[in-house]
Amino acid sequence: MSNQEALDPTASSTDPILEIRNLNVQFEMDRGTSRVIDDVDLDIHRGEIIGIVGESGSGKSMLASSLLDAVVEPGVTTGEIIYRSPDGESIDVLDLSEEALRKFRWEQISMVFQGALSSFNPTMAMREHFEETLEAHGYPVGSGMERAANLLSDLYLDPDRVLDSYPHELSGGMKQRALIALALVLEPEVLVMDEPTAALDLLMQRSIVSLLADIRDKYDLTMVFITHDLPLVTKLADRIGVLYAFEFVELADTESILREPAHPYTRALLNATPNLDAPLEEMRPIEGSAPDPVNVPEGCSYHERCPLATDICRDQPIFEQVTDTQAVACHHWEDIDEIPLTTEVDQ
């Protein structure tokens, strides 16, 4: 499905910090090969926030883990993930040794994993988590803890209180923000977040999203925000990639995704979004179910659920640029208004 000219429909003046080519993640199973990332190509621009959205089981978490070559065995990751450091060095993430990868994961790209609220050691004070991370990477603890305190303050936490507390003494929102600070203490260039707010209430989710935008600007970060919550990520991301059945079906700037989504699946996601201002009967659940990763349909992977599908969709996948800021995997994007948007997501 890859089309190199359509990889970055929102081309900017900045160079890519990550270049992903022909990325595949697969697991060998008794009933066949389960391919959970399927030949993905993507450029991530330095300094941008890109949101990756899709239903549960669409491959979002596997994409996040693969960026750090952290897919657990027996998963096999192939392809290229090229990281371009600020000094111009090109690093093939999938070709790093274990020791080089250990340093890379914290010092160049850091990650907040899904379910991270339980990731702290309950027998260690928060201060120890930060000190242990700094010591393990040979960073000066004194200056590192000063950075930690600044990060916690930037996340609207009292550094002394948080650092002297044990994890169970902090609320969910406080632990999540402390974890973000921990992920940034070694000054990485890229922060990958896999469903970082899923366990939090709506008010805290919005608060953390707002803080992340400020953190990106202050520390000149690149962020990859993985979520199933399309309305949430539209308040943060510069671009959004929509995953379906382990591959991108749409990649565009956030405004285009909200106002003129070009793929039937993107429209279905928006129409299934709860909206307090819209009548309940206007919500449209997505009919059918996502494909089995061992048996993904030929052609367009969405055709079995798509009201616009024709024979060409069943036979010939496509991914093409349709505007200066938008690329889509759909033969019938020009007829997309046949699927009206019944809900509106505020940015």
Side-chain angles (χ1 to χ4, degrees):
M1 178 182 288
S2 301
N3 180 334
Q4 294 295 321
E5 295 180 356
L7 288 174
D8 271 308
T10 51
S12 72
S13 59
T14 59
D15 294 327
I17 191 169
L18 282 168
E19 297 178 3
I20 301 161
R21 298 292 182 269
N22 306 120
L23 180 65
N24 290 274
V25 177
Q26 61 187 44
F27 291 78
E28 292 300 327
M29 305 172 64
D30 291 341
R31 61 192 186 90
T33 299
S34 175
R35 182 171 286 185
V36 292
I37 289 293
D38 190 0
D39 209 23
V40 162
D41 289 351
L42 177 68
D43 284 350
I44 297 174
H45 300 305
R46 191 179 303 276
E48 80 167 333
I49 300 177
I50 183 167
I52 308 297
V53 301
E55 293 172 278
S56 295
S58 61
K60 305 185 301 299
S61 292
M62 286 298 169
L63 177 61
S65 295
S66 67
L67 296 181
L68 290 84
D69 195 13
V71 174
V72 298
E73 294 183 354
V76 176
T77 307
T78 58
E80 279 191 343
I81 300 174
I82 304 299
Y83 167 76
R84 303 201 181 279
S85 67
D87 61 8
E89 181 185 6
S90 295
I91 298 171
D92 187 340
V93 178
L94 300 183
D95 198 36
L96 291 174
S97 67
E98 283 298 318
E99 176 60 20
L101 190 59
R102 184 186 69 82
K103 292 177 66 65
F104 176 83
R105 284 175 178 162
W106 280 90
E107 299 175 20
Q108 305 297 333
I109 302 181
S110 193
M111 183 165 174
V112 176
F113 285 94
Q114 187 173 5
L117 293 184
S118 60
S119 66
F120 291 111
N121 185 333
T123 69
M124 292 170 55
M126 299 300 294
R127 184 182 304 276
E128 295 175 80
H129 289 86
F130 283 86
E131 291 175 345
E132 182 179 74
T133 300
L134 291 163
E135 290 170 353
H137 288 262
Y139 271 56
V141 173
S143 58
M145 291 306 295
E146 288 181 12
R147 177 177 168 87
N150 289 334
L151 284 162
L152 291 168
S153 294
D154 290 335
L155 290 162
Y156 288 82
L157 293 170
D158 179 339
D160 290 333
R161 179 193 169 189
V162 169
L163 292 171
D164 291 336
S165 296
Y166 285 85
H168 73 271
E169 297 176 306
L170 303 177
S171 69
M174 294 172 73
K175 281 191 285 190
Q176 187 65 72
R177 284 177 283 163
L179 188 65
I180 293 169
L182 181 61
L184 295 176
V185 75
L186 297 184
E187 305 181 68
E189 295 288 319
V190 181
L191 179 62
V192 180
M193 289 166 286
D194 184 12
E195 298 275 11
T197 63
L200 304 176
D201 63 63
L202 182 60
L203 185 60
M204 183 53 65
Q205 288 180 4
R206 301 257 175 132
S207 174
I208 288 179
V209 162
S210 177
L211 291 174
L212 286 172
D214 295 337
I215 289 289
R216 184 271 298 265
D217 294 338
K218 180 169 182 177
Y219 292 95
D220 196 25
L221 286 166
T222 303
M223 292 186 181
V224 182
F225 193 97
I226 310 282
T227 182
H228 68 278
D229 191 335
L230 182 53
L232 182 69
V233 77
T234 60
K235 301 180 185 304
L236 177 68
D238 303 303
R239 282 193 305 159
I240 293 176
V242 181
L243 274 178
Y244 181 79
F246 326 110
E247 59 191 359
F248 283 109
V249 295
E250 187 159 4
L251 179 64
D253 67 293
T254 300
E255 183 68 21
S256 295
I257 290 287
L258 283 175
R259 307 305 171 203
E260 293 293 336
H263 196 279
Y265 177 63
T266 310
R267 294 208 163 205
L269 279 180
L270 287 166
N271 287 339
T273 298
N275 188 324
L276 295 178
D277 297 325
L280 186 61
E281 59 269 15
E282 288 190 6
M283 288 184 57
R284 296 287 185 269
I286 304 176
E287 295 183 2
S289 58
D292 180 341
V294 176
N295 189 28
V296 177
E298 296 294 325
C300 172
S301 56
Y302 188 63
H303 78 256
E304 293 180 348
R305 304 172 76 181
C306 180
L308 301 183
T310 60
D311 287 345
I312 194 172
C313 305
R314 299 177 180 88
D315 299 330
Q316 299 179 24
I318 188 174
F319 193 74
E320 63 179 348
Q321 187 164 330
V322 298
T323 73
D324 290 341
T325 60
Q326 197 165 18
V328 63
C330 183
H331 289 280
H332 302 300
W333 64 268
E334 291 180 294
D335 302 318
I336 197 62
D337 286 339
E338 293 182 21
I339 305 174
L341 291 174
T342 58
T343 61
E344 186 172 317
V345 177
D346 294 326
Q347 214 174 342

